[in-house]
Structure formats: C-alpha cells, structure tokens
Amino acid sequence: MKTYGFDASLPAKPVKNIGVVLFPSFDVVDVFGTLEPLNLLSLERQLNLYMIAATLDPVSTAPRAMNAFNSSFGEVIVPSHTFDSVIRDQSLDLDMLLVPGGIGTRAPDLNDTIQFVRDVFPRLQYLLAPCTGAGIAARAGVLDGRRATTNKRSWEETVAYGTKTYWVARARWARDGCVFTASGVTAAIDAVFAWIGHVWGEAVAADLALGIEYERHTDPSWDPFGEHYGRSDVPPLT
Amino acid sequence: MKTYGFDASLPAKPVKNIGVVLFPSFDVVDVFGTLEPLNLLSLERQLNLYMIAATLDPVSTAPRAMNAFNSSFGEVIVPSHTFDSVIRDQSLDLDMLLVPGGIGTRAPDLNDTIQFVRDVFPRLQYLLAPCTGAGIAARAGVLDGRRATTNKRSWEETVAYGTKTYWVARARWARDGCVFTASGVTAAIDAVFAWIGHVWGEAVAADLALGIEYERHTDPSWDPFGEHYGRSDVPPLT
C-alpha cells in the first residue's frame, strides 16, 4: 500500500476480498456494524469475506478480565482463516482489511495481531481501523505519517500508541489516502459508508443506508463526543 | 407474560438473563447492535447471555439463496443453547428474549424458530423483536392484540403475518407493554436504548450511548423511512 499523505482525492480501487481481524474481546459493532452494509452488498456484486484470527478456534467477545460482577456474557465467532495462512498465501489479494477495536485491544498478548497487520498492510488497497482498532494500526506502524482519529473516551491511551501520527480530535472518521480510522464504536458505521461511497459511489452508499434505515453522519467533522470529552488534536511528536 | 394492551407506563422488571434467537441468515445489526450496549452493561452488573438456536451447530449469516453473484460472504456464530434445552429447563428464567430479523426470516423452514418463540413467550419478562423479527413474533402469535412496527422496506410482506396486530407505519420503535418492536435494522439500536432506559433508567442508557459514541433517536415517532416508503398504519383485520 502506498502512503498518500493528506491527499483524500484518490481514485477508487476495485474491491472484492475483505478481511476482518478477530481477537478476543473485540467490539461487535466495530465488526458487525461495518459488515452489515457489506453483507447486503454481497448480494449485488461478488464479495468474499475472510474472518482472520490467530487460530481457527472460535473467538469470544467476553472480557477475560474486568468481570467483577460474574457475568456470563459474550458472543462467539468462528474464524475462516488464520493470520499465518493469509501471510503465507501471497496469491490472496485482500482489498480491504478491517481492524476493530474493543476491550481486547488492552490485552497484553496482542503481538500476533499487531504483527499480522504490519505484515499484510503492503498487500492491501484499503485499511479500516475504527475505534481503538486505530491503536492496533498505530502499534503496527501503519499510521506513521498519517492523519487519524480514534475513540474519544479511550483517547489518551490510544493516541499514545501513535507518536508519529497526527490525531484529529474532532472527527467522526478520518481518511488519509487508503487508510480510514473512526471515532468510537458506532462511528464505524459512518466510516464504512464513507468508504463504500468512495469505492462504489454515493448512490450505492445511499441505497444501502436506506436499506438498513440508517441516518448517516456524512460530515466527517461531526463529533459531539470529541467535544464532550474536551479532546484536542495531538500532532506527531517526531 | 401478561398482555398489557397499550399501556406504556409499566414499572420495570428486573433483568439478568438475556436470550437471543439465532437462525440462518439472521441480521447482524439486529443481534450485535442490540447486544453492544448490553456487552458493556455486563461489566457493571451481572448479566447472562444465552445464544439459542435449533442445534448447537454454528449459524451463518450467509444467505442460502439470493447469491446470484457467487459471493462467499458471511459471519458464523456459535450458539450456547438449543431451543429444546431452553424449553425443557423450566428453571431458566429468560428475562428478555431478542428475536432478530434478516433475510432468513423469509426461509420456508422457520417453524422451529417460530414454535420456540411461541412456547417460551409466557416465561419472558420482555420481548424485543426488531426489523423483520417482528414477522417471526407475529407468526408465533405473540403480537396478537398488540401495537407493533417493523422494517419499512419489507413492510407489506411482514405486516401480512400479523392480522391481529395494529401496525404503526411511522415509528422508529413501538412499545406495547413488555413487547418492543422496531423498524428496520439500525432501529434496533434505538429500541434497545429505549428498553435499557425503561429497565435500568435513563442515566444508564445515556452513559452507555456516550460510551459507544451513539447519537440516539429518542423520539419513537421519528421515522423518515416510513415516510420515504409511503407506509400507512395497518389496523387489525379482526
């Protein structure tokens, strides 16, 4: 993937194969809010989905720590591919990779996930990293020299991962070339619609939004949450 | 579950155990958009989740028909309980049951799902049936004599399942006593926040919405989609 700096006027690349990174305690709206319009779009054109995790063992959203109330509450997702199998199969063109956020981004053992994002990034046409998924992307180094945003509640801990990134404090989502980041959780839905509009055109995005009865935020600078939390831009340290 | 007619002023019932009905080609935002704030809430109080399907085999969202473009696109979820096991275990108090919609509601073999909703309904405190999940609830007979809404694009085929239901054409969601229905797909998110506000109070709902950076529609009559599709109320036929 080329680095396009601050140029947001790139022509769209064709997209057929979409990958999703899964790790324990990922956020479900980051993944399924993003996939919802793509599930529908897959009925109208050929799209293939790769659900990619460290192993083929099912991945749970249940938090492994932070369970002071003894809840038994989590959803379990089955991966279709492993990080290793995708890295080894150089013939697999992943046109877009979704890197979700979630409580699991705070786990100490995310190194395999971060390494996968770092290794596969040069083969991508697009990266979408909503919410604290931007923290994984930052730790993988792929936000270096780019403009990005992230979850406004988890702002400080996440922007600390990307000291070479310009972090935009008032943004529903941010695009820098082929890299889309988004603010917290439901901002992923607005970001994926912006991306769909870029790749397949605004009419396709508008029809999909109508189909899921969603009132989009189409202004990337709409962000009452950045304001609520009093966040300010964080320029690169270096 | 008692029938409360049009009274929306009921006191809240305590909620601990939440069930989700899964069937092939269910809609992911109906399920995961609804579960997102409950996943977070399970960190603050004891909640238990039951993912319930016909068998314990993983359930895919991929459409079994309608795949003219040869896409390979679907997410696969692991159930934790079967319909039979929940019906047999009378000691299991399901305080809320979520019945999602989706393309799968049009499948010819939904009888086991419909029968499960019919059989378990008397044991529930609350039923949430967003989108075309309202069609399953209607076919189970549990919307008889109630006020409900559903997906505005799939309106005509869905309201036909509930000839004893008053279908509200301009509603983001509708509440009739303990039964919450919602308009298409993303309306589930507004409906679950309304339900959370009812059960645990508005302050809890507002904090969870802030946590997922979601601008709620708090007016149940907000519905540009009912207007877009020109839908009108459908009173009971009998």
Side-chain angles (χ1 to χ4, degrees), chain A residues 131 149-150 152 168-174 181-191 214-225, chain B residues 212-215:
Chain A
C131 193
T149 195
T150 188
K152 296 311 178 328
V168 185
R170 304 290 162 88
R172 185 64 171 168
W173 74 90
T181 50
S183 191
V185 191
T186 61
I189 305 175
D190 292 315
Y214 184 62
E215 189 187 49
R216 295 165 58 191
H217 296 290
T218 53
D219 174 2
S221 71
W222 179 86
D223 188 8
F225 307 103
Chain B
I212 66 169
E213 301 188 23
Y214 184 62
E215 188 187 48

PDB file of all heavy atoms in Angstrom, chain A residues 131 149-150 152 168-174 181-191 214-225, chain B residues 212-215:
ATOM      1  N   CYS A 131     -12.466   3.009  15.935  1.00  0.00           N
ATOM      2  CA  CYS A 131     -12.427   2.922  17.405  1.00  0.00           C
ATOM      3  C   CYS A 131     -10.978   2.632  17.843  1.00  0.00           C
ATOM      4  O   CYS A 131     -10.026   3.110  17.223  1.00  0.00           O
ATOM      5  CB  CYS A 131     -13.412   1.838  17.855  1.00  0.00           C
ATOM      6  SG  CYS A 131     -13.809   1.781  19.608  1.00  0.00           S
ATOM      7  N   THR A 149      -8.008   9.289  13.560  1.00  0.00           N
ATOM      8  CA  THR A 149      -8.757   9.585  14.776  1.00  0.00           C
ATOM      9  C   THR A 149      -9.033   8.267  15.488  1.00  0.00           C
ATOM     10  O   THR A 149      -8.659   7.189  15.002  1.00  0.00           O
ATOM     11  CB  THR A 149     -10.050  10.371  14.485  1.00  0.00           C
ATOM     12  OG1 THR A 149     -10.547  10.930  15.713  1.00  0.00           O
ATOM     13  CG2 THR A 149     -11.122   9.498  13.835  1.00  0.00           C
ATOM     14  N   THR A 150      -9.670   8.348  16.649  1.00  0.00           N
ATOM     15  CA  THR A 150      -9.974   7.133  17.419  1.00  0.00           C
ATOM     16  C   THR A 150     -11.055   7.437  18.448  1.00  0.00           C
ATOM     17  O   THR A 150     -11.599   8.552  18.495  1.00  0.00           O
ATOM     18  CB  THR A 150      -8.682   6.574  18.077  1.00  0.00           C
ATOM     19  OG1 THR A 150      -8.970   5.295  18.670  1.00  0.00           O
ATOM     20  CG2 THR A 150      -8.131   7.509  19.151  1.00  0.00           C
ATOM     21  N   LYS A 152     -13.090   8.524  21.517  1.00  0.00           N
ATOM     22  CA  LYS A 152     -12.859   9.736  22.293  1.00  0.00           C
ATOM     23  C   LYS A 152     -12.808   9.505  23.794  1.00  0.00           C
ATOM     24  O   LYS A 152     -12.197  10.291  24.523  1.00  0.00           O
ATOM     25  CB  LYS A 152     -13.912  10.789  21.934  1.00  0.00           C
ATOM     26  CG  LYS A 152     -13.831  11.261  20.480  1.00  0.00           C
ATOM     27  CD  LYS A 152     -12.438  11.649  20.064  1.00  0.00           C
ATOM     28  CE  LYS A 152     -12.250  12.080  18.619  1.00  0.00           C
ATOM     29  NZ  LYS A 152     -13.038  11.528  17.567  1.00  0.00           N
ATOM     30  N   VAL A 168      -6.610  13.594  15.031  1.00  0.00           N
ATOM     31  CA  VAL A 168      -7.637  14.629  14.874  1.00  0.00           C
ATOM     32  C   VAL A 168      -8.694  14.438  15.962  1.00  0.00           C
ATOM     33  O   VAL A 168      -9.329  13.383  16.045  1.00  0.00           O
ATOM     34  CB  VAL A 168      -8.289  14.545  13.486  1.00  0.00           C
ATOM     35  CG1 VAL A 168      -9.251  15.705  13.290  1.00  0.00           C
ATOM     36  CG2 VAL A 168      -7.219  14.545  12.397  1.00  0.00           C
ATOM     37  N   ALA A 169      -8.874  15.454  16.781  1.00  0.00           N
ATOM     38  CA  ALA A 169      -9.714  15.320  17.972  1.00  0.00           C
ATOM     39  C   ALA A 169     -11.207  15.471  17.677  1.00  0.00           C
ATOM     40  O   ALA A 169     -12.034  14.952  18.412  1.00  0.00           O
ATOM     41  CB  ALA A 169      -9.297  16.356  19.018  1.00  0.00           C
ATOM     42  N   ARG A 170     -11.538  16.195  16.638  1.00  0.00           N
ATOM     43  CA  ARG A 170     -12.958  16.383  16.310  1.00  0.00           C
ATOM     44  C   ARG A 170     -13.223  15.757  14.960  1.00  0.00           C
ATOM     45  O   ARG A 170     -13.185  16.423  13.925  1.00  0.00           O
ATOM     46  CB  ARG A 170     -13.318  17.876  16.303  1.00  0.00           C
ATOM     47  CG  ARG A 170     -12.990  18.607  17.590  1.00  0.00           C
ATOM     48  CD  ARG A 170     -13.895  18.201  18.765  1.00  0.00           C
ATOM     49  NE  ARG A 170     -13.288  18.577  20.043  1.00  0.00           N
ATOM     50  CZ  ARG A 170     -13.439  19.759  20.638  1.00  0.00           C
ATOM     51  NH1 ARG A 170     -14.192  20.668  20.076  1.00  0.00           N
ATOM     52  NH2 ARG A 170     -12.841  20.022  21.792  1.00  0.00           N
ATOM     53  N   ALA A 171     -13.472  14.455  14.953  1.00  0.00           N
ATOM     54  CA  ALA A 171     -13.696  13.737  13.701  1.00  0.00           C
ATOM     55  C   ALA A 171     -14.572  12.519  13.968  1.00  0.00           C
ATOM     56  O   ALA A 171     -14.277  11.738  14.873  1.00  0.00           O
ATOM     57  CB  ALA A 171     -12.371  13.285  13.089  1.00  0.00           C
ATOM     58  N   ARG A 172     -15.647  12.377  13.185  1.00  0.00           N
ATOM     59  CA  ARG A 172     -16.433  11.134  13.230  1.00  0.00           C
ATOM     60  C   ARG A 172     -15.597  10.025  12.623  1.00  0.00           C
ATOM     61  O   ARG A 172     -15.601   8.908  13.092  1.00  0.00           O
ATOM     62  CB  ARG A 172     -17.747  11.331  12.474  1.00  0.00           C
ATOM     63  CG  ARG A 172     -18.717  10.178  12.538  1.00  0.00           C
ATOM     64  CD  ARG A 172     -19.216   9.925  13.943  1.00  0.00           C
ATOM     65  NE  ARG A 172     -20.310   8.964  14.000  1.00  0.00           N
ATOM     66  CZ  ARG A 172     -20.764   8.418  15.122  1.00  0.00           C
ATOM     67  NH1 ARG A 172     -20.217   8.723  16.301  1.00  0.00           N
ATOM     68  NH2 ARG A 172     -21.763   7.576  15.106  1.00  0.00           N
ATOM     69  N   TRP A 173     -14.907  10.383  11.530  1.00  0.00           N
ATOM     70  CA  TRP A 173     -13.911   9.482  10.963  1.00  0.00           C
ATOM     71  C   TRP A 173     -12.857  10.351  10.302  1.00  0.00           C
ATOM     72  O   TRP A 173     -13.062  11.557  10.108  1.00  0.00           O
ATOM     73  CB  TRP A 173     -14.513   8.489   9.962  1.00  0.00           C
ATOM     74  CG  TRP A 173     -14.894   9.071   8.640  1.00  0.00           C
ATOM     75  CD1 TRP A 173     -14.123   9.184   7.522  1.00  0.00           C
ATOM     76  CD2 TRP A 173     -16.166   9.629   8.285  1.00  0.00           C
ATOM     77  NE1 TRP A 173     -14.833   9.781   6.507  1.00  0.00           N
ATOM     78  CE2 TRP A 173     -16.083  10.058   6.943  1.00  0.00           C
ATOM     79  CE3 TRP A 173     -17.380   9.814   8.970  1.00  0.00           C
ATOM     80  CZ2 TRP A 173     -17.157  10.676   6.285  1.00  0.00           C
ATOM     81  CZ3 TRP A 173     -18.436  10.409   8.322  1.00  0.00           C
ATOM     82  CH2 TRP A 173     -18.316  10.829   6.990  1.00  0.00           C
ATOM     83  N   ALA A 174     -11.712   9.745   9.959  1.00  0.00           N
ATOM     84  CA  ALA A 174     -10.636  10.463   9.279  1.00  0.00           C
ATOM     85  C   ALA A 174     -10.126   9.574   8.155  1.00  0.00           C
ATOM     86  O   ALA A 174      -9.976   8.365   8.327  1.00  0.00           O
ATOM     87  CB  ALA A 174      -9.499  10.788  10.247  1.00  0.00           C
ATOM     88  N   THR A 181      -9.766   5.759   9.580  1.00  0.00           N
ATOM     89  CA  THR A 181      -9.948   5.486  11.006  1.00  0.00           C
ATOM     90  C   THR A 181     -11.255   6.147  11.433  1.00  0.00           C
ATOM     91  O   THR A 181     -11.776   7.013  10.731  1.00  0.00           O
ATOM     92  CB  THR A 181      -8.777   6.032  11.842  1.00  0.00           C
ATOM     93  OG1 THR A 181      -8.550   7.398  11.469  1.00  0.00           O
ATOM     94  CG2 THR A 181      -7.509   5.223  11.593  1.00  0.00           C
ATOM     95  N   ALA A 182     -11.790   5.723  12.564  1.00  0.00           N
ATOM     96  CA  ALA A 182     -13.063   6.285  13.021  1.00  0.00           C
ATOM     97  C   ALA A 182     -13.031   6.470  14.512  1.00  0.00           C
ATOM     98  O   ALA A 182     -12.211   5.876  15.224  1.00  0.00           O
ATOM     99  CB  ALA A 182     -14.227   5.392  12.609  1.00  0.00           C
ATOM    100  N   SER A 183     -13.941   7.292  14.978  1.00  0.00           N
ATOM    101  CA  SER A 183     -14.104   7.526  16.400  1.00  0.00           C
ATOM    102  C   SER A 183     -14.725   6.277  17.040  1.00  0.00           C
ATOM    103  O   SER A 183     -14.707   5.197  16.449  1.00  0.00           O
ATOM    104  CB  SER A 183     -14.953   8.785  16.578  1.00  0.00           C
ATOM    105  OG  SER A 183     -14.934   9.199  17.917  1.00  0.00           O
ATOM    106  N   GLY A 184     -15.305   6.407  18.234  1.00  0.00           N
ATOM    107  CA  GLY A 184     -15.714   5.227  18.987  1.00  0.00           C
ATOM    108  C   GLY A 184     -16.885   4.461  18.398  1.00  0.00           C
ATOM    109  O   GLY A 184     -17.867   5.054  17.951  1.00  0.00           O
ATOM    110  N   VAL A 185     -16.777   3.158  18.409  1.00  0.00           N
ATOM    111  CA  VAL A 185     -17.835   2.161  18.183  1.00  0.00           C
ATOM    112  C   VAL A 185     -18.753   2.522  17.009  1.00  0.00           C
ATOM    113  O   VAL A 185     -18.432   2.196  15.872  1.00  0.00           O
ATOM    114  CB  VAL A 185     -18.625   1.896  19.487  1.00  0.00           C
ATOM    115  CG1 VAL A 185     -19.535   0.680  19.320  1.00  0.00           C
ATOM    116  CG2 VAL A 185     -17.660   1.649  20.640  1.00  0.00           C
ATOM    117  N   THR A 186     -19.886   3.183  17.251  1.00  0.00           N
ATOM    118  CA  THR A 186     -20.856   3.380  16.170  1.00  0.00           C
ATOM    119  C   THR A 186     -20.339   4.280  15.061  1.00  0.00           C
ATOM    120  O   THR A 186     -20.918   4.300  13.963  1.00  0.00           O
ATOM    121  CB  THR A 186     -22.200   3.943  16.685  1.00  0.00           C
ATOM    122  OG1 THR A 186     -21.983   5.214  17.289  1.00  0.00           O
ATOM    123  CG2 THR A 186     -22.845   2.989  17.677  1.00  0.00           C
ATOM    124  N   ALA A 187     -19.267   5.022  15.304  1.00  0.00           N
ATOM    125  CA  ALA A 187     -18.651   5.815  14.229  1.00  0.00           C
ATOM    126  C   ALA A 187     -18.177   4.921  13.101  1.00  0.00           C
ATOM    127  O   ALA A 187     -18.053   5.365  11.952  1.00  0.00           O
ATOM    128  CB  ALA A 187     -17.479   6.639  14.781  1.00  0.00           C
ATOM    129  N   ALA A 188     -17.942   3.640  13.404  1.00  0.00           N
ATOM    130  CA  ALA A 188     -17.539   2.681  12.363  1.00  0.00           C
ATOM    131  C   ALA A 188     -18.585   2.627  11.251  1.00  0.00           C
ATOM    132  O   ALA A 188     -18.237   2.438  10.078  1.00  0.00           O
ATOM    133  CB  ALA A 188     -17.339   1.297  12.978  1.00  0.00           C
ATOM    134  N   ILE A 189     -19.844   2.771  11.608  1.00  0.00           N
ATOM    135  CA  ILE A 189     -20.923   2.661  10.610  1.00  0.00           C
ATOM    136  C   ILE A 189     -20.843   3.839   9.637  1.00  0.00           C
ATOM    137  O   ILE A 189     -20.938   3.664   8.418  1.00  0.00           O
ATOM    138  CB  ILE A 189     -22.299   2.588  11.300  1.00  0.00           C
ATOM    139  CG1 ILE A 189     -22.334   1.440  12.319  1.00  0.00           C
ATOM    140  CG2 ILE A 189     -23.414   2.415  10.251  1.00  0.00           C
ATOM    141  CD1 ILE A 189     -23.625   1.375  13.142  1.00  0.00           C
ATOM    142  N   ASP A 190     -20.629   5.037  10.171  1.00  0.00           N
ATOM    143  CA  ASP A 190     -20.480   6.196   9.276  1.00  0.00           C
ATOM    144  C   ASP A 190     -19.216   6.079   8.435  1.00  0.00           C
ATOM    145  O   ASP A 190     -19.204   6.456   7.257  1.00  0.00           O
ATOM    146  CB  ASP A 190     -20.450   7.493  10.104  1.00  0.00           C
ATOM    147  CG  ASP A 190     -21.793   7.764  10.756  1.00  0.00           C
ATOM    148  OD1 ASP A 190     -22.822   7.619  10.060  1.00  0.00           O
ATOM    149  OD2 ASP A 190     -21.821   8.117  11.946  1.00  0.00           O
ATOM    150  N   ALA A 191     -18.171   5.540   9.030  1.00  0.00           N
ATOM    151  CA  ALA A 191     -16.909   5.405   8.292  1.00  0.00           C
ATOM    152  C   ALA A 191     -17.043   4.414   7.146  1.00  0.00           C
ATOM    153  O   ALA A 191     -16.543   4.655   6.040  1.00  0.00           O
ATOM    154  CB  ALA A 191     -15.780   4.979   9.238  1.00  0.00           C
ATOM    155  N   TYR A 214     -30.766   3.753   8.151  1.00  0.00           N
ATOM    156  CA  TYR A 214     -29.738   4.434   8.918  1.00  0.00           C
ATOM    157  C   TYR A 214     -29.595   5.881   8.459  1.00  0.00           C
ATOM    158  O   TYR A 214     -29.415   6.140   7.276  1.00  0.00           O
ATOM    159  CB  TYR A 214     -28.393   3.716   8.751  1.00  0.00           C
ATOM    160  CG  TYR A 214     -27.298   4.316   9.592  1.00  0.00           C
ATOM    161  CD1 TYR A 214     -27.409   4.309  10.979  1.00  0.00           C
ATOM    162  CD2 TYR A 214     -26.182   4.897   9.010  1.00  0.00           C
ATOM    163  CE1 TYR A 214     -26.422   4.875  11.764  1.00  0.00           C
ATOM    164  CE2 TYR A 214     -25.184   5.463   9.802  1.00  0.00           C
ATOM    165  CZ  TYR A 214     -25.321   5.446  11.179  1.00  0.00           C
ATOM    166  OH  TYR A 214     -24.339   6.016  11.952  1.00  0.00           O
ATOM    167  N   GLU A 215     -29.669   6.785   9.405  1.00  0.00           N
ATOM    168  CA  GLU A 215     -29.414   8.195   9.124  1.00  0.00           C
ATOM    169  C   GLU A 215     -27.925   8.449   9.321  1.00  0.00           C
ATOM    170  O   GLU A 215     -27.450   8.555  10.458  1.00  0.00           O
ATOM    171  CB  GLU A 215     -30.238   9.076  10.068  1.00  0.00           C
ATOM    172  CG  GLU A 215     -30.190  10.538   9.689  1.00  0.00           C
ATOM    173  CD  GLU A 215     -30.858  11.417  10.731  1.00  0.00           C
ATOM    174  OE1 GLU A 215     -30.563  11.276  11.950  1.00  0.00           O
ATOM    175  OE2 GLU A 215     -31.683  12.259  10.345  1.00  0.00           O
ATOM    176  N   ARG A 216     -27.210   8.543   8.216  1.00  0.00           N
ATOM    177  CA  ARG A 216     -25.761   8.687   8.287  1.00  0.00           C
ATOM    178  C   ARG A 216     -25.328  10.067   8.778  1.00  0.00           C
ATOM    179  O   ARG A 216     -26.019  11.056   8.550  1.00  0.00           O
ATOM    180  CB  ARG A 216     -25.154   8.511   6.887  1.00  0.00           C
ATOM    181  CG  ARG A 216     -25.329   7.154   6.301  1.00  0.00           C
ATOM    182  CD  ARG A 216     -25.033   7.169   4.808  1.00  0.00           C
ATOM    183  NE  ARG A 216     -23.678   7.636   4.516  1.00  0.00           N
ATOM    184  CZ  ARG A 216     -23.237   7.942   3.288  1.00  0.00           C
ATOM    185  NH1 ARG A 216     -24.061   7.852   2.248  1.00  0.00           N
ATOM    186  NH2 ARG A 216     -22.001   8.354   3.105  1.00  0.00           N
ATOM    187  N   HIS A 217     -24.182  10.097   9.421  1.00  0.00           N
ATOM    188  CA  HIS A 217     -23.457  11.358   9.575  1.00  0.00           C
ATOM    189  C   HIS A 217     -22.487  11.418   8.403  1.00  0.00           C
ATOM    190  O   HIS A 217     -21.553  10.615   8.328  1.00  0.00           O
ATOM    191  CB  HIS A 217     -22.722  11.407  10.908  1.00  0.00           C
ATOM    192  CG  HIS A 217     -23.651  11.380  12.075  1.00  0.00           C
ATOM    193  ND1 HIS A 217     -24.464  12.450  12.391  1.00  0.00           N
ATOM    194  CD2 HIS A 217     -23.933  10.414  12.978  1.00  0.00           C
ATOM    195  CE1 HIS A 217     -25.199  12.144  13.447  1.00  0.00           C
ATOM    196  NE2 HIS A 217     -24.898  10.920  13.817  1.00  0.00           N
ATOM    197  N   THR A 218     -22.734  12.342   7.481  1.00  0.00           N
ATOM    198  CA  THR A 218     -21.906  12.404   6.264  1.00  0.00           C
ATOM    199  C   THR A 218     -20.803  13.460   6.372  1.00  0.00           C
ATOM    200  O   THR A 218     -19.960  13.554   5.485  1.00  0.00           O
ATOM    201  CB  THR A 218     -22.773  12.711   5.030  1.00  0.00           C
ATOM    202  OG1 THR A 218     -23.534  13.884   5.298  1.00  0.00           O
ATOM    203  CG2 THR A 218     -23.720  11.551   4.723  1.00  0.00           C
ATOM    204  N   ASP A 219     -20.833  14.219   7.459  1.00  0.00           N
ATOM    205  CA  ASP A 219     -19.791  15.229   7.685  1.00  0.00           C
ATOM    206  C   ASP A 219     -18.731  14.619   8.604  1.00  0.00           C
ATOM    207  O   ASP A 219     -19.002  14.356   9.781  1.00  0.00           O
ATOM    208  CB  ASP A 219     -20.411  16.463   8.341  1.00  0.00           C
ATOM    209  CG  ASP A 219     -19.362  17.494   8.736  1.00  0.00           C
ATOM    210  OD1 ASP A 219     -18.156  17.279   8.462  1.00  0.00           O
ATOM    211  OD2 ASP A 219     -19.752  18.512   9.333  1.00  0.00           O
ATOM    212  N   PRO A 220     -17.521  14.373   8.075  1.00  0.00           N
ATOM    213  CA  PRO A 220     -16.512  13.707   8.916  1.00  0.00           C
ATOM    214  C   PRO A 220     -16.108  14.525  10.138  1.00  0.00           C
ATOM    215  O   PRO A 220     -15.552  13.961  11.087  1.00  0.00           O
ATOM    216  CB  PRO A 220     -15.320  13.506   7.964  1.00  0.00           C
ATOM    217  CG  PRO A 220     -15.563  14.405   6.809  1.00  0.00           C
ATOM    218  CD  PRO A 220     -17.046  14.622   6.705  1.00  0.00           C
ATOM    219  N   SER A 221     -16.407  15.822  10.139  1.00  0.00           N
ATOM    220  CA  SER A 221     -16.022  16.646  11.299  1.00  0.00           C
ATOM    221  C   SER A 221     -17.124  16.704  12.367  1.00  0.00           C
ATOM    222  O   SER A 221     -16.945  17.345  13.402  1.00  0.00           O
ATOM    223  CB  SER A 221     -15.656  18.061  10.840  1.00  0.00           C
ATOM    224  OG  SER A 221     -16.813  18.755  10.421  1.00  0.00           O
ATOM    225  N   TRP A 222     -18.253  16.036  12.095  1.00  0.00           N
ATOM    226  CA  TRP A 222     -19.314  15.967  13.126  1.00  0.00           C
ATOM    227  C   TRP A 222     -18.815  15.128  14.291  1.00  0.00           C
ATOM    228  O   TRP A 222     -18.512  13.956  14.106  1.00  0.00           O
ATOM    229  CB  TRP A 222     -20.589  15.354  12.531  1.00  0.00           C
ATOM    230  CG  TRP A 222     -21.703  15.228  13.531  1.00  0.00           C
ATOM    231  CD1 TRP A 222     -22.618  16.176  13.872  1.00  0.00           C
ATOM    232  CD2 TRP A 222     -22.018  14.076  14.344  1.00  0.00           C
ATOM    233  NE1 TRP A 222     -23.484  15.694  14.835  1.00  0.00           N
ATOM    234  CE2 TRP A 222     -23.136  14.413  15.145  1.00  0.00           C
ATOM    235  CE3 TRP A 222     -21.465  12.803  14.478  1.00  0.00           C
ATOM    236  CZ2 TRP A 222     -23.711  13.519  16.061  1.00  0.00           C
ATOM    237  CZ3 TRP A 222     -22.034  11.909  15.401  1.00  0.00           C
ATOM    238  CH2 TRP A 222     -23.143  12.274  16.172  1.00  0.00           C
ATOM    239  N   ASP A 223     -18.702  15.707  15.463  1.00  0.00           N
ATOM    240  CA  ASP A 223     -18.177  14.934  16.585  1.00  0.00           C
ATOM    241  C   ASP A 223     -18.490  15.573  17.935  1.00  0.00           C
ATOM    242  O   ASP A 223     -17.622  16.170  18.575  1.00  0.00           O
ATOM    243  CB  ASP A 223     -16.664  14.726  16.438  1.00  0.00           C
ATOM    244  CG  ASP A 223     -16.123  13.762  17.487  1.00  0.00           C
ATOM    245  OD1 ASP A 223     -16.936  13.148  18.208  1.00  0.00           O
ATOM    246  OD2 ASP A 223     -14.891  13.633  17.580  1.00  0.00           O
ATOM    247  N   PRO A 224     -19.715  15.417  18.394  1.00  0.00           N
ATOM    248  CA  PRO A 224     -20.058  15.952  19.716  1.00  0.00           C
ATOM    249  C   PRO A 224     -19.309  15.236  20.842  1.00  0.00           C
ATOM    250  O   PRO A 224     -19.189  15.778  21.946  1.00  0.00           O
ATOM    251  CB  PRO A 224     -21.570  15.707  19.823  1.00  0.00           C
ATOM    252  CG  PRO A 224     -21.866  14.609  18.854  1.00  0.00           C
ATOM    253  CD  PRO A 224     -20.864  14.767  17.737  1.00  0.00           C
ATOM    254  N   PHE A 225     -18.778  14.055  20.550  1.00  0.00           N
ATOM    255  CA  PHE A 225     -18.113  13.271  21.600  1.00  0.00           C
ATOM    256  C   PHE A 225     -16.696  13.789  21.852  1.00  0.00           C
ATOM    257  O   PHE A 225     -16.266  13.871  22.995  1.00  0.00           O
ATOM    258  CB  PHE A 225     -18.150  11.789  21.242  1.00  0.00           C
ATOM    259  CG  PHE A 225     -19.553  11.323  20.941  1.00  0.00           C
ATOM    260  CD1 PHE A 225     -19.977  11.126  19.633  1.00  0.00           C
ATOM    261  CD2 PHE A 225     -20.471  11.174  21.965  1.00  0.00           C
ATOM    262  CE1 PHE A 225     -21.279  10.747  19.356  1.00  0.00           C
ATOM    263  CE2 PHE A 225     -21.787  10.802  21.695  1.00  0.00           C
ATOM    264  CZ  PHE A 225     -22.191  10.584  20.391  1.00  0.00           C
TER     265      PHE A 225
ATOM    266  N   ILE B 212     -20.537   4.405  23.486  1.00  0.00           N
ATOM    267  CA  ILE B 212     -20.390   3.894  22.120  1.00  0.00           C
ATOM    268  C   ILE B 212     -20.554   5.025  21.101  1.00  0.00           C
ATOM    269  O   ILE B 212     -20.729   4.768  19.916  1.00  0.00           O
ATOM    270  CB  ILE B 212     -21.343   2.715  21.814  1.00  0.00           C
ATOM    271  CG1 ILE B 212     -22.817   3.126  21.825  1.00  0.00           C
ATOM    272  CG2 ILE B 212     -21.101   1.581  22.801  1.00  0.00           C
ATOM    273  CD1 ILE B 212     -23.746   2.031  21.257  1.00  0.00           C
ATOM    274  N   GLU B 213     -20.466   6.271  21.593  1.00  0.00           N
ATOM    275  CA  GLU B 213     -20.496   7.473  20.732  1.00  0.00           C
ATOM    276  C   GLU B 213     -21.672   7.420  19.759  1.00  0.00           C
ATOM    277  O   GLU B 213     -21.516   7.619  18.551  1.00  0.00           O
ATOM    278  CB  GLU B 213     -19.138   7.665  20.034  1.00  0.00           C
ATOM    279  CG  GLU B 213     -18.029   7.822  21.089  1.00  0.00           C
ATOM    280  CD  GLU B 213     -16.665   8.218  20.557  1.00  0.00           C
ATOM    281  OE1 GLU B 213     -16.582   8.793  19.469  1.00  0.00           O
ATOM    282  OE2 GLU B 213     -15.664   7.967  21.278  1.00  0.00           O
ATOM    283  N   TYR B 214     -22.820   7.154  20.347  1.00  0.00           N
ATOM    284  CA  TYR B 214     -24.040   6.991  19.550  1.00  0.00           C
ATOM    285  C   TYR B 214     -25.015   8.127  19.837  1.00  0.00           C
ATOM    286  O   TYR B 214     -25.352   8.379  21.004  1.00  0.00           O
ATOM    287  CB  TYR B 214     -24.705   5.647  19.870  1.00  0.00           C
ATOM    288  CG  TYR B 214     -25.909   5.388  19.001  1.00  0.00           C
ATOM    289  CD1 TYR B 214     -25.776   5.285  17.617  1.00  0.00           C
ATOM    290  CD2 TYR B 214     -27.192   5.277  19.543  1.00  0.00           C
ATOM    291  CE1 TYR B 214     -26.882   5.070  16.802  1.00  0.00           C
ATOM    292  CE2 TYR B 214     -28.294   5.055  18.740  1.00  0.00           C
ATOM    293  CZ  TYR B 214     -28.134   4.958  17.368  1.00  0.00           C
ATOM    294  OH  TYR B 214     -29.218   4.752  16.560  1.00  0.00           O
ATOM    295  N   GLU B 215     -25.453   8.801  18.782  1.00  0.00           N
ATOM    296  CA  GLU B 215     -26.492   9.820  18.904  1.00  0.00           C
ATOM    297  C   GLU B 215     -27.842   9.131  18.739  1.00  0.00           C
ATOM    298  O   GLU B 215     -28.224   8.777  17.626  1.00  0.00           O
ATOM    299  CB  GLU B 215     -26.294  10.898  17.832  1.00  0.00           C
ATOM    300  CG  GLU B 215     -27.210  12.084  18.011  1.00  0.00           C
ATOM    301  CD  GLU B 215     -27.110  13.051  16.830  1.00  0.00           C
ATOM    302  OE1 GLU B 215     -27.179  12.606  15.665  1.00  0.00           O
ATOM    303  OE2 GLU B 215     -26.978  14.258  17.077  1.00  0.00           O
TER     304      GLU B 215
END
